Amino acid sequence: MAERPKLSYVVREGDRPNEVSVLLAGFAQRQKHTSEGTRQIMAFSLPGDPLDFECLFLDEADFSVQMAVTGMIACVRTEAIKSLLHDRRELGQAIERTLLADASVAREWVVNVGRRDARRRVAHLLCELLVRAKAQQIETSLFELPFTQEQLADATGLTPIHINRILRQLTTDGAIRRSGRMITVPDWERLREIADFDERFLHMKRAS
Amino acid sequence: MAERPKLSYVVREGDRPNEVSVLLAGFAQRQKHTSEGTRQIMAFSLPGDPLDFECLFLDEADFSVQMAVTGMIACVRTEAIKSLLHDRRELGQAIERTLLADASVAREWVVNVGRRDARRRVAHLLCELLVRAKAQQIETSLFELPFTQEQLADATGLTPIHINRILRQLTTDGAIRRSGRMITVPDWERLREIADFDERFLHMKRAS
DNA sequence: CGGCCATTTGACGCCTTTCAAAAGGTGTGG
DNA sequence: CCACACCTTTTGAAAGGCGTCAAATGGCCG
């Protein structure tokens, strides 16, 4: 249970942490850097999401986790979780499902950056964030994006300049409305159609 | 233990299979289709790889598996594996590690298609395939690619035409040599450098 | 040998990047 | 409360990487 300032790293690629964490408040991002220094974000974490549970089973972290805004995380010693896993099998199943759902999202991101143009790509990311935020009861149709356009660029494999142009285009097309970083979706079906979005890849439970 | 013809599907997106399979011979690919019909491959499977074990824990498959060439797979009823998992904890850990290594590869693919240009992207894919093939003792520096240029394109988010140009460029640069689909790597370090390749994301065991 | 598919090559166009700079916002210190 | 510094957003112009279109070549199998 510790406050984490904006931009602080929770895990760095190559770490072998002896504790894992859950995001309680704020937003975080999973990312990697290429040797040239460019960054690729491969997931945004919302409150309630585990941040680095794969470290429970893999030797070293293959990605970094950085806070996107100031937030709060809960840390648990890996020993504690492992002994819990030893006692309660259903907990292991739950973690397993979460990790594999994360993996499914990563696969969808491969599709997103590999086969969708900038417009669909951004719309798809917005859809994912909206659906996940709704599932966490964060808010509904209007949605405060805590991310800068540079972060959105690194998440979609685009440049911040182009993100800006795409957001403007989506706005003039009526698919979204913006004021500051607040984004409203007046026509959800419209955005979903633009994005080619099918939320099954999120593997969310209906009513758990 | 069944032979599978080229292009046959092992799993389709949305399936809820009651058996899972391991690739014994040949090559397979994991893929998704967008609503426009374009395809994105997100993993190539080599002999020895489990093809769809995530179905053990998730409700429905979020990707399809298709044979890239005629090959052989072994099918196991999910019930059988689950009861095995119940008895032998170390088996569960092994499967867990495999699944999470797959997830790590998917994340690296996000980086690949998101932040590397065509030349690095293709080189990175070749590096991954070579390292994994070597680990399976398939062959060493020379490597028969069973994949068409169209498949390589769908794996890298490019077009087959551009794959062709990149392969030619890598050839004239001396990074690879080709005859037919056989690819030789005369200078491994060279290709690795071009690719910005660091094999840690594969999470392979040193000597298991 | 003929049909079909994969590979190869060229010309052209466009989506996205790069480069550059202005404008808007925000926090800190005087 | 203002001023300054810094970051983010916005806009424009030009370049380039990759896609699209089209067609020729090559290889495999019946």
Side-chain angles (χ1 to χ4, degrees):
Chain A
M1 215 81 67
E3 183 169 312
R4 286 288 190 147
K6 183 175 175 179
L7 299 185
S8 68
Y9 277 84
V10 180
V11 181
R12 280 179 194 275
E13 195 175 343
D15 280 358
R16 299 161 178 266
N18 47 26
E19 40 181 45
V20 295
S21 24
V22 175
L23 185 65
L24 298 179
F27 294 84
Q29 59 205 21
R30 293 184 182 184
Q31 59 193 22
K32 284 189 178 191
H33 289 269
T34 66
S35 65
E36 292 173 308
T38 62
R39 179 176 66 174
Q40 175 70 49
I41 295 174
M42 56 212 63
F44 287 119
S45 301
L46 274 53
D49 290 339
L51 292 177
D52 52 0
F53 276 22
E54 19 277 292
C55 294
L56 288 171
F57 304 98
L58 294 179
D59 288 340
E60 61 178 46
D62 56 75
F63 54 85
S64 304
V65 176
Q66 186 178 23
M67 296 301 295
V69 296
T70 301
M72 189 87 76
I73 65 176
C75 298
V76 189
R77 312 211 99 248
T78 56
E79 302 305 330
I81 291 205
K82 282 181 179 172
S83 67
L84 262 179
L85 289 183
H86 202 77
D87 298 339
R88 300 184 50 196
R89 183 170 308 278
E90 63 275 18
L91 179 62
Q93 298 262 334
I95 290 182
E96 186 108 37
R97 287 185 55 89
T98 305
L99 294 178
L100 291 182
D102 281 357
S104 170
V105 173
R107 288 188 287 267
E108 185 64 32
W109 280 44
V110 176
V111 178
N112 207 34
V113 292
R115 284 301 181 218
R116 282 193 266 264
D117 63 21
R119 180 182 164 81
R120 291 169 197 278
R121 218 183 285 185
V122 173
H124 197 278
L125 177 59
L126 292 179
C127 282
E128 182 196 319
L129 290 174
L130 273 169
V131 168
R132 288 174 52 205
K134 201 177 297 181
Q136 306 277 15
Q137 277 114 32
I138 292 182
E139 258 151 79
T140 51
S141 68
L142 70 159
F143 184 60
E144 166 78 19
L145 272 188
F147 309 114
T148 65
Q149 293 179 10
E150 183 176 16
Q151 286 172 307
L152 296 179
D154 285 334
T156 49
L158 298 165
T159 56
I161 291 99
H162 205 60
I163 286 283
N164 183 284
R165 290 196 254 255
I166 294 294
L167 287 178
R168 179 153 48 89
Q169 185 190 327
L170 286 173
T171 307
T172 61
D173 289 358
I176 62 175
R177 291 198 198 115
R178 296 193 299 151
S179 74
R181 286 183 192 163
M182 180 77 76
I183 291 197
T184 321
V185 179
D187 187 352
W188 171 244
E189 279 309 320
R190 178 90 182 285
L191 191 64
R192 175 192 290 267
E193 192 177 356
I194 291 174
D196 180 32
F197 185 80
D198 177 351
E199 69 201 72
R200 278 180 303 178
F201 75 92
L202 290 172
H203 290 286
M204 296 194 308
K205 286 294 199 184
R206 288 300 160 207
S208 67
Chain B
M1 214 82 66
E3 183 170 314
R4 284 289 190 148
K6 184 175 175 178
L7 299 185
S8 69
Y9 276 84
V10 180
V11 181
R12 279 178 194 276
E13 196 175 343
D15 279 358
R16 300 163 177 266
N18 48 28
E19 41 182 42
V20 294
S21 25
V22 175
L23 186 63
L24 298 180
F27 294 84
Q29 60 204 21
R30 294 184 180 184
Q31 60 191 21
K32 284 189 178 191
H33 289 269
T34 66
S35 65
E36 293 173 310
T38 62
R39 178 177 67 175
Q40 175 70 47
I41 295 174
M42 57 212 60
F44 287 120
S45 301
L46 273 53
D49 290 339
L51 291 176
D52 52 359
F53 277 23
E54 19 276 293
C55 293
L56 286 170
F57 304 98
L58 295 178
D59 287 339
E60 61 178 45
D62 56 75
F63 55 85
S64 304
V65 176
Q66 187 177 22
M67 295 301 295
V69 296
T70 301
M72 189 88 74
I73 65 175
C75 298
V76 188
R77 315 211 97 248
T78 55
E79 303 305 331
I81 292 205
K82 282 181 177 169
S83 66
L84 262 181
L85 289 183
H86 202 77
D87 298 339
R88 300 185 49 196
R89 183 169 308 277
E90 64 276 19
L91 179 63
Q93 298 262 334
I95 290 181
E96 186 107 34
R97 287 185 56 88
T98 305
L99 294 178
L100 291 183
D102 281 358
S104 170
V105 174
R107 288 188 286 267
E108 185 63 33
W109 281 45
V110 176
V111 178
N112 208 34
V113 293
R115 283 301 181 217
R116 282 193 266 264
D117 62 21
R119 179 182 164 83
R120 292 170 196 279
R121 219 182 284 183
V122 173
H124 197 278
L125 177 59
L126 291 180
C127 283
E128 182 196 318
L129 290 174
L130 273 169
V131 169
R132 287 173 55 206
K134 202 176 298 183
Q136 305 279 14
Q137 278 112 30
I138 291 183
E139 257 150 83
T140 52
S141 68
L142 72 159
F143 184 60
E144 166 78 19
L145 273 186
F147 309 115
T148 65
Q149 295 180 10
E150 184 176 15
Q151 284 171 309
L152 296 178
D154 285 334
T156 49
L158 298 166
T159 56
I161 290 99
H162 205 61
I163 287 283
N164 184 285
R165 291 196 257 253
I166 295 294
L167 287 179
R168 178 154 48 88
Q169 185 190 328
L170 287 173
T171 307
T172 61
D173 289 358
I176 62 174
R177 291 198 199 115
R178 295 192 300 151
S179 75
R181 284 182 194 165
M182 179 78 75
I183 290 194
T184 321
V185 179
D187 188 351
W188 171 244
E189 278 309 320
R190 179 90 183 285
L191 190 64
R192 175 194 289 269
E193 191 177 356
I194 292 174
D196 179 34
F197 185 80
D198 177 351
E199 68 201 72
R200 279 179 302 180
F201 75 91
L202 289 171
H203 291 286
M204 296 195 307
K205 287 292 198 182
R206 288 299 161 209
S208 66

